[in-house]
């Protein structure tokens, strides 16, 4: 039963007594949330006020606090900590030795707690001029420091490596790449310009108006001087010139008034010469009858006396496919309507031919594109102001016809005539000339209209597949606008949506008007008048501004920007190129979808060509754009080979290369990424990049610079990966690396402060293995690397440990026979060890595992030397590491290690040692069961002065988990490996969960000699429950599910193990690459981890949780406001908490199992309860009346509370007595949870647990049983010491510093960095007694207080060298210290309590 009680409430206006203390629940440091010193003063138990100079106290009801009385007058030690004459202190130093804090990283999304600059010495505090106690005045009197604390949240374990578990979201990254390349790219190679005019003779079914349109290709046939033949030749030549303006590479052939025989001949000849390429057929039928309703077109006979029809069936047979047909005649819609019908007929005939002869070659007829001037029953315009071939003019001379059309449609008077429009200076190819600028803008407008209105597939086919097709369809959009204005409806196949009313046509009209308004002045200047400087259009500038507005809105719903084709055209201009590239880079930064859109629109040829540019200002933006492109589509390697485009990035990778940006190292990191992608799986890229200079440059980037402002972990990470990709399957590159000592420099990164860099170094060292010539020198190099990286077994990051297993598996594959010998000898030694344990009957845990045991005598040691050929070898040591990692606390790491262990065991059974290995395994199983049965017998209870329990000892660096004393690592590794159990059924022990005892049973751990299970409560609380005590029935207990990491995939136990393991780190690095920038503008000694960067995700804008207006940001803002309200409303209750009775019941609920550890959330109604049966319970609904400082929970079982072994957690809502979730901590048999903490309580909290086996686990979404996930799990303590009195694991979490202090049954205090995920320092405990409680100041984090089992209290200062860190020891207690706690709020008062109930208050 759990009861939650509260003291009587206090009115908000009432202040607590100024000099009374209360033992209240821990609450968040109010000083972190209060900017002003006055507000902060009221945050410290209602007793502290801060005054600057001679200012009055912040509150008239608060009096200055006096110094607490001590045994002797206090004096300041050289390190700033007070001493008394009776105190024992550590080594003394001279002078002011207030050293700066050790270097510390912070959370991945933020930075470590700020450290203010040193302030001048302050006068001694007096009653009249009171200030904060020694050592804290610098922090709390600095408005800058308090402002930084208020403005930032310090969050940890919420990086991308924790959210994704270090796995790429897509196993195949190419799945997200759009097919932007034209795999079936075609080009128009030949063109037949068929003109049927028969000048002077009108067709019988055509009635022309008078006056009528006469111009053909801007030539008047009736006004031409000469014969009709010469006129036709001029028209044909002019038409060819117009088409050559579209594409000059096409072979054009004019066919003037052809006969039916000539038509057949040149059509078949075109198809024969073009083969499978596209041919153009242009038909001008102004001098022949209209097309028939069945789609027949007309030509002449040889004598020009008759009109001969040509059926579409015959025309298709002659032209074949692919083809492009243009029909400029009245009633052209009849041709379009009947064309597909005859195509289907041809396809049916082809199918019949293939049916009779599958190998027969048939002509294709399907790929046809058609353009028609008008629909059915529509006649061409006959206005004399327009040309007769208006449709052809729109398709071939769009600028001329646009100018004429504008003048005809413009209702306002204009000084420019129709003849003057032909006098616009310039050429179409000169973009800076008036005529060239018009053509440039027209191309951008038509491309943009098509991009916005056409489906993507249609746009790519018509506007990106063939230059001729793209030019004709751009002009076709103009023809639709002009022809519709004159009563015709052009048609096309494939059909297009209506484009004549698009808003961009108004911009086109405005552009034409701006040019025509300047035309008179330009004509006068051309005729010798005053010079005139042409004023260029602002079209592109305005469109870039519109694109910038789109980018500022954040692309809602990933909507494609309408200005993207215009940005593409702007890249052709040197004037706007830099701005366009910058905006383009911002667009590409929005994600893979934006990159795919840019590639689809055709950006790639432009950025590829720009690699040849020597423009200095373009280099940074070009590097960024190419990094984004290669992150989404890595298939551009062959393109970089052309014209040596890769050299652009090799030059930028050089540290001597100058870049016009302050963050040059960031762009060098991108260059390293580009080079790595260029070499990845591309042998040609590896060959051209191989040089000692490149490897030496990458090695140089691995060094951490002295100036932390210049440090860039991303550059180190991608320098490692660049070397890795260069080495992959390329022995020559590995020898170059050996000569440059690259493998040694990479080994030095095993302790880098950034987990991604450590993983990248492992990735590179894995590719280093495998030089074909396995000489003694090669073996030496590879074994030296392997021996160096084995220290990373204890890395706190699971991603690094998984990458280490990839290295191990590759090394095992490289030397399989040596590992078989090591495994066999390990089996032999394990058997001998178990036989001695069975014969002696000694349950001493010191002999619990052979891996952890030293030879008991010189004789046995000598025997090992003579019989173990693999002793002290790299393979033997690595095999022990693999066995240890097979029981790693992180499921993915353990599963990968089991694959390697299974593989070696399977190969061992298949090897010549198999007949000898099988009996060894059988004997090990038999002996293990016998020893287990012997040790499970109940021993006699032995009284103990302090809570005791037995532990598994650990010696050496590798940290094994706590195991039952009867189990060895070999047996556990084999027992927990599913595939091994499937292969060797007689070795199966079941899973770890199956080994857990039932709820009512007594485990061997509980019956270990040495006394009852240890507890941190008085002995009377540890008595067995009375008979009348209610207790849950064992049958009612259901084992909870252990949370798994996100994306965890369980291995198929039936699949055979295979090595080497595959690494997904490179793909993950591309997806969620952390771009870490260290800044020290205000805090020279603090590192700021800021601006998560992604190569496939946004880099230039904040993540959603930091983007104002986003859901995550609004939720974070609401939580922050809620937290402020909680703090302000609970301050008056703190003074009452120490004097009032806690007798107001707030809730009762039945946990179902014995609660042994409880932890309150500071702001939410969350109560985490760890029970004695491996579960965690959780409670949390919204609470309008916060309990942060005014509630506590009592756990009872009948009339007596007690402490038992617990392994599981439950989450309850203490206000509504509702259980919200329950999950297992996944503790091995024999271990228990010692500690539970909430971290990141200011935002979305995580649950941190510490177990007696030295394991720390962190859970996300702990309040939801269905979505709870394991964020991280690592072995925080390794060198556990066996003792008769055990404290288990003791920890303290420093949120502001991002540090985890871990100690217990060890001789050290290990300080873990949450951001680095490695331990920074090991502080000697200076005592043989275990540490039982740990606390540290909540702000600066430098002073650490430890309580010991012998009653001593020691003070450590992290600012001092670890060996000299102990600066004070008190021996006022004479029994086991149950708890020590440092008061928050800057008073630095310490409360300690021991087992006999004595509580002491210390003044530091």
């Amino acid at each position: 039963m759990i009861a939650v009680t509260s003291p009587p409430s206090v009115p908000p206006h009432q202040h607590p007594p100024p000099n009374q203390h209360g033992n209240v629940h821990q609450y968040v440091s109010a000083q972190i949330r209060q900017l002003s010193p006055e507000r902060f003063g009221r945050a410290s138990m209602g007793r502290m006020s801060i005054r600057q100079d001679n200012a009055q106290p912040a509150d008239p009801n608060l009096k200055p606090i006096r110094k607490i009385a001590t045994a002797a007058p206090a004096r300041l030690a050289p390190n700033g900590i007070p001493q008394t004459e009776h105190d024992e202190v550590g080594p003394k130093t001279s002078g002011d030795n207030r050293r700066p804090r050790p270097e510390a990283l912070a959370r991945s999304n933020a930075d470590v707690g700020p450290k203010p600059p040193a302030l001048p010495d302050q006068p001694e505090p007096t009653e009249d001029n009171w200030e904060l106690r020694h050592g804290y005045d610098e922090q709390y009197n600095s408005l800058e420091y308090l402002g930084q604390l208020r403005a930032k949240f310090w969050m940890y374990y919420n990086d991308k490596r924790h959210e994704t578990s270090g796995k790429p979201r897509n196993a195949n990254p190419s799945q997200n790449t759009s097919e932007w390349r034209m795999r079936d790219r075609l080009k128009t190679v030949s063109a037949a310009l068929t003109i049927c005019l028969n000048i002077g003779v009108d067709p019988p079914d055509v009635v022309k108006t008078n006056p009528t349109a006469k111009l053909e290709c801007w030539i008047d046939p009736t006004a031409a001087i000469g014969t009709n033949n010469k006129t036709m030749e001029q028209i044909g030549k002019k038409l060819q010139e117009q088409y050559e303006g579209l594409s000059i590479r096409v072979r054009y052939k004019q066919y003037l008034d052809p006969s039916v025989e000539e038509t057949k001949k040149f059509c078949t000849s075109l198809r024969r010469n073009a083969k499978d390429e596209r041919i153009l057929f242009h038909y001008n039928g102004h001098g022949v009858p209209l097309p028939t309703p069945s789609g027949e077109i007309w030509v002449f006979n040889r004598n020009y006396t008759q009109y001969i029809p040509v059926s579409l069936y015959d025309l298709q047979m002659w032209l074949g496919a692919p083809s492009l047909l243009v029909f400029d005649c009245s009633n052209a819609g009849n041709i379009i309507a009947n064309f597909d019908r005859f195509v289907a007929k041809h396809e049916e005939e082809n199918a019949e031919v293939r049916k009779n002869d599958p190998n027969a070659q048939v002509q294709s007829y399907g790929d046809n594109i058609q353009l028609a001037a008008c629909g059915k029953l529509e006649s061409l315009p006959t206005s004399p102001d327009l040309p007769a071939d208006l449709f052809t003019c729109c398709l071939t001379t769009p600028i001329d016809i646009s100018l004429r059309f504008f003048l005809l449609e413009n209702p306002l008077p204009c000084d420019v005539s129709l003849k003057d429009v032909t006098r616009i200076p310039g050429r179409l190819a000169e973009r800076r000339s008036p005529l060239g600028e018009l053509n440039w803008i027209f191309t951008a407008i038509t491309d943009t209209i098509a991009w916005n209105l056409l489906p993507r597939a249609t746009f790519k086919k018509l506007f990106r597949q063939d230059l001729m097709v793209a030019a004709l369809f751009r002009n076709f959009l103009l023809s639709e606008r002009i022809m519709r204005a004159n009563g015709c409806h052009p048609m096309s196949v494939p059909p297009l949506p209506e484009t004549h009313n698009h808003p961009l046509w108004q911009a086109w009209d405005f552009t034409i008007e701006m040019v025509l308004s300047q035309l008179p002045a330009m004509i006068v200047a051309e005729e010798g008048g005053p010079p005139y400087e042409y004023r260029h259009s602002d079209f592109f500038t305005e469109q870039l501004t519109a694109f910038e507005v789109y980018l500022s809105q954040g692309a809602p719903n990933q909507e494609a920007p309408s200005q993207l084709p215009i940005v593409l055209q702007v890249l052709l201009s040197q004037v706007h190129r830099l701005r366009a590239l910058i905006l383009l880079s911002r667009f590409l930064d929005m994600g893979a979808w934006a990159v795919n859109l840019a590639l689809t629109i055709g950006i790639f040829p432009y950025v590829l060509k720009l690699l040849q540019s020597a423009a200095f200002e373009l280099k940074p933006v070009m590097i960024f754009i190419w990094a984004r492109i290669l992150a989404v589509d890595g298939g551009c390697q062959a393109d970089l080979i052309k014209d040596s485009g890769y050299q652009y990035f090799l030059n930028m990778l050089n540290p001597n290369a100058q870049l016009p940006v302050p963050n040059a190292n960031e762009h060098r990191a991108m260059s390293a990424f580009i080079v790595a992608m260029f070499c990845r799986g591309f042998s040609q890229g590896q060959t051209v990049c191989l040089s000692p200079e490149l490897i030496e440059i990458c090695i140089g980037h691995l060094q951490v610079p002295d100036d932390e402002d210049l440090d860039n972990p991303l550059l180190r990470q991608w320098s490692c990966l660049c070397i890795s990709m260069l080495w992959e399957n390329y022995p020559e590159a590995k020898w170059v690396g050996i000569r440059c000592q690259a493998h040694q420099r990479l080994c030095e990164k095993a302790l880098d402060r950034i987990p991604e860099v450590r993983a990248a170094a492992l990735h590179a060292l894995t590719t280093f293995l495998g030089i074909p010539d396995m000489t003694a020198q090669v073996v030496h190099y590879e074994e030296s690397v392997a021996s160096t990286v084995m220290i990373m077994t204890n890395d706190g990051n699971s991603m690094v440990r998984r990458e280490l297993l990839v290295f191990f598996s590759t090394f095992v594959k490289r030397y399989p026979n040596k590992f078989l010998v090591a495994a066999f000898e390990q089996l032999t030694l394990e058997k001998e060890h178990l036989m001695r344990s069975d014969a002696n009957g000694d349950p001493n845990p010191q002999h619990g595992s052979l891996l952890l045991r030293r030879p008991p005598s010189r004789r046995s040691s000598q025997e090992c030397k003579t019989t173990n050929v693999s002793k002290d070898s790299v393979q033997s040591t690595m095999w022990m590491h693999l066995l240890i990692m097979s029981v790693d606390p992180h499921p993915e790491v353990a599963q990968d290690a089991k694959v390697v262990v299974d593989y070696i065991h399977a190969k061992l059974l298949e090897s010549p040692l198999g007949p000898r290995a099988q009996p060894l395994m059988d004997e090990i199983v038999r002996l293990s069961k016998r020893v287990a049965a012997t040790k499970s017998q109940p021993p006699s209870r032995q009284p103990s002065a302090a809570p005791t329990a037995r532990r598994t000892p650990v010696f050496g660096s590798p940290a094994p988990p706590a195991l039952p004393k009867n189990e060895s690592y070999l047996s556990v590794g084999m027992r927990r490996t599913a595939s091994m159990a499937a292969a060797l059924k007689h070795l199966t022990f079941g899973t770890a969960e199956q080994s857990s005892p039932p709820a009512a049973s007594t485990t061997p751990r509980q019956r270990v000699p040495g006394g009852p299970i240890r507890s941190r409560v008085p002995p009377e609380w540890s008595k067995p429950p009375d008979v009348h005590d209610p207790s849950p029935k064992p049958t009612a207990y259901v084992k909870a599910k252990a949370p798994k990491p996100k994306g965890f995939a369980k291995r198929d136990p039936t699949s055979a193990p295979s090595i080497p393991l595959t690494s997904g780190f490179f793909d993950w690095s591309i997806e969620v690459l952390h771009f870490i920038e260290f800044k020290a503008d205000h805090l020279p000694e603090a590192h700021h981890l800021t601006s998560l960067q992604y190569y496939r995700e946004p880099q230039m804008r904040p993540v959603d949780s930091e983007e104002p207006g986003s859901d995550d940001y609004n939720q974070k803002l609401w939580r922050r406001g809620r937290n402020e309200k909680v703090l302000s409303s609970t301050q008056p209750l703190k003074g009452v908490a120490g004097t009032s009775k806690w007798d107001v019941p707030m809730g009762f609920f039945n946990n179902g199992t014995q609660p042994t550890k409880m932890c309150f959330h500071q702001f939410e109604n969350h109560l985490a309860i760890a029970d004695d049966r491996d579960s965690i319970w959780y409670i949390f609904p919204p609470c309008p009346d916060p309990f942060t400082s005014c509630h506590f929970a009592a756990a009872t079982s009948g009339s007596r509370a007690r402490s038992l072994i617990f392994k599981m957690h439950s989450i309850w809502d203490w206000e509504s007595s509702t259980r919200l979730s329950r999950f297992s901590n996944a503790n091995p048999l024999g271990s228990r949870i010692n500690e539970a903490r909430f971290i990141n309580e200011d935002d979305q909290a995580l649950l941190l647990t510490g177990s007696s086996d030295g394991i720390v686990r962190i859970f996300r979404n702990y309040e939801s049983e269905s979505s709870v996930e394991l964020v991280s799990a690592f072995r925080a303590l390794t060198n556990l010491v066996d003792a008769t009195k055990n404290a288990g694991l003791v920890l303290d979490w420093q949120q502001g510093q991002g540090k985890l202090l871990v100690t217990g049954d060890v001789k050290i205090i290990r300080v873990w960095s949450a951001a680095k995920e490695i331990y920074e320092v090991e502080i000697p405990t200076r005592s043989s007694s275990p540490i039982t409680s740990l606390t540290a100041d909540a702000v600066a984090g430098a002073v650490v207080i430890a309580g010991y089992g012998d009653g001593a209290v020691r003070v450590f200062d992290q600012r001092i060298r670890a060996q000299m860190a102990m600066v004070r020891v008190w021996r006022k207690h004479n029994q086991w210290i149950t708890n020590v706690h440092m008061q928050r709020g800057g008073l630095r008062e310490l409360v300690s309590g021991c087992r006999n109930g004595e509580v002491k208050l210390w003044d530091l």
Side-chain angles (χ1 to χ4, degrees), residues 438-710:
L438 278 175
N439 184 61
W440 186 23
I441 296 176
F442 174 79
T443 302
I445 288 178
T446 51
D447 257 10
T448 304
I449 294 175
W451 167 260
N452 292 329
L453 298 181
L454 269 61
R456 293 289 178 260
T458 304
F459 175 83
K460 185 167 65 172
K461 177 181 179 181
L462 300 181
F463 288 83
R464 293 296 181 263
Q465 189 181 56
D466 187 343
L467 293 178
M468 175 62 77
V469 174
L472 287 177
F473 267 90
R474 275 195 292 266
N475 301 339
F476 178 78
L477 301 183
L478 176 66
S479 70
E480 185 180 14
R481 184 188 187 213
I482 296 178
M483 299 292 288
R484 279 177 175 266
N486 290 275
C488 294
H489 297 78
M491 301 179 64
S492 68
V493 175
L496 303 182
E498 294 184 357
T499 61
H500 65 282
N501 55 357
H502 195 276
L504 275 178
W505 288 122
Q506 299 178 10
W508 175 237
D509 291 340
F510 179 75
T511 302
I512 293 177
E513 183 178 6
M514 292 298 295
V515 174
L516 294 180
S517 65
Q518 303 179 71
L519 183 57
M522 290 187 290
I523 293 176
V524 171
E526 184 180 359
E527 294 176 349
Y532 179 80
E533 183 179 356
Y534 174 71
R535 182 164 49 89
H536 293 278
S537 173
D538 296 332
F539 173 78
F540 289 111
T541 302
E542 294 171 352
Q543 292 300 317
L544 288 178
T545 303
F547 186 50
E548 191 172 4
V549 172
Y550 164 86
L551 295 175
S552 65
Q553 295 176 351
N557 302 323
Q558 296 186 357
E559 182 180 354
S562 59
Q563 300 84 9
L564 194 57
I566 299 176
V567 176
L568 188 67
Q569 291 294 324
V570 173
L571 294 180
L572 300 173
S573 170
Q574 293 184 358
V575 177
H576 306 288
R577 182 175 295 163
L578 180 59
R579 184 188 179 194
L581 285 174
I582 293 175
L583 294 178
L584 179 62
S585 65
R586 290 178 54 188
F587 175 67
L588 298 181
D589 183 63
M590 292 184 173
W593 66 273
V595 177
N596 285 326
L597 279 178
L599 293 175
T600 303
I601 198 64
I603 199 70
F604 187 77
Y606 292 81
V607 296
L608 182 62
K609 189 67 175 177
L610 285 176
L611 292 180
Q612 309 303 320
S613 173
F616 184 66
E617 66 278 2
L618 298 183
K619 293 183 182 297
V621 66
M622 286 298 298
I623 292 173
F624 182 88
I625 290 174
W626 269 96
R628 303 297 294 188
I629 292 176
L630 287 176
V632 175
D633 188 355
C636 305
Q637 298 158 317
D639 301 282
L640 289 175
I641 285 284
K642 301 175 183 178
D643 301 327
S644 300
Y646 65 91
Q647 196 67 39
Y648 189 91
F649 307 105
L650 288 178
N651 296 335
M652 292 300 102
L653 190 56
N654 193 314
N656 297 325
Q658 298 297 323
L659 288 172
V661 288
N663 54 346
N665 279 338
E666 298 178 6
H667 290 80
R668 290 192 181 96
M670 296 180 193
S671 299
F673 161 73
I674 294 171
V675 175
M677 291 294 296
F678 176 63
C679 295
R680 186 185 189 188
F682 188 52
S683 58
Q684 296 178 359
Q686 291 175 314
T687 302
V688 298
C689 288
L690 177 59
S691 66
E693 291 76 14
L694 175 59
I695 296 180
E696 290 176 355
I697 287 173
C698 292
I699 293 174
H701 289 317
L702 296 181
Q703 305 301 322
V704 179
D706 297 333
D707 187 356
E708 294 172 354
D709 288 342
L710 303 177

Side-chain angles (χ1 to χ4, degrees), residues 252-293:
Y252 297 97
K253 186 65 175 178
Q254 306 168 24
Y255 299 99
L256 310 178
D257 294 338
S259 63
V260 64
E261 291 81 5
E262 292 174 343
T263 303
K264 178 180 180 181
K265 182 178 179 180
F266 70 71
C267 287
T268 54
S269 176
L270 284 176
R271 173 49 57 197
R272 182 170 59 252
N273 295 331
K275 297 181 181 179
D276 294 331
E277 299 291 347
R278 179 175 282 118
I279 59 177
L280 168 65
F281 179 79
H282 179 95
Y283 176 76
N284 183 328
H286 297 173
V288 293
L290 303 178
T292 64

Side-chain angles (χ1 to χ4, degrees), residues 23 26 115 223 259 262 332 340 376 541 650 702 772 811 817 874 951 1061 1110 1213 1243 1249 1269 1364:
N23 185 12
Q26 293 184 0
K115 183 177 180 63
S259 63
E262 292 174 343
D340 290 340
K376 296 180 180 180
T541 302
L650 288 178
L702 296 181
F811 194 82
N817 294 332
V874 174
R951 294 178 55 85
L1061 302 173
S1110 64
D1213 174 3
D1243 194 34
T1249 64
E1269 297 174 354
M1364 305 174 63

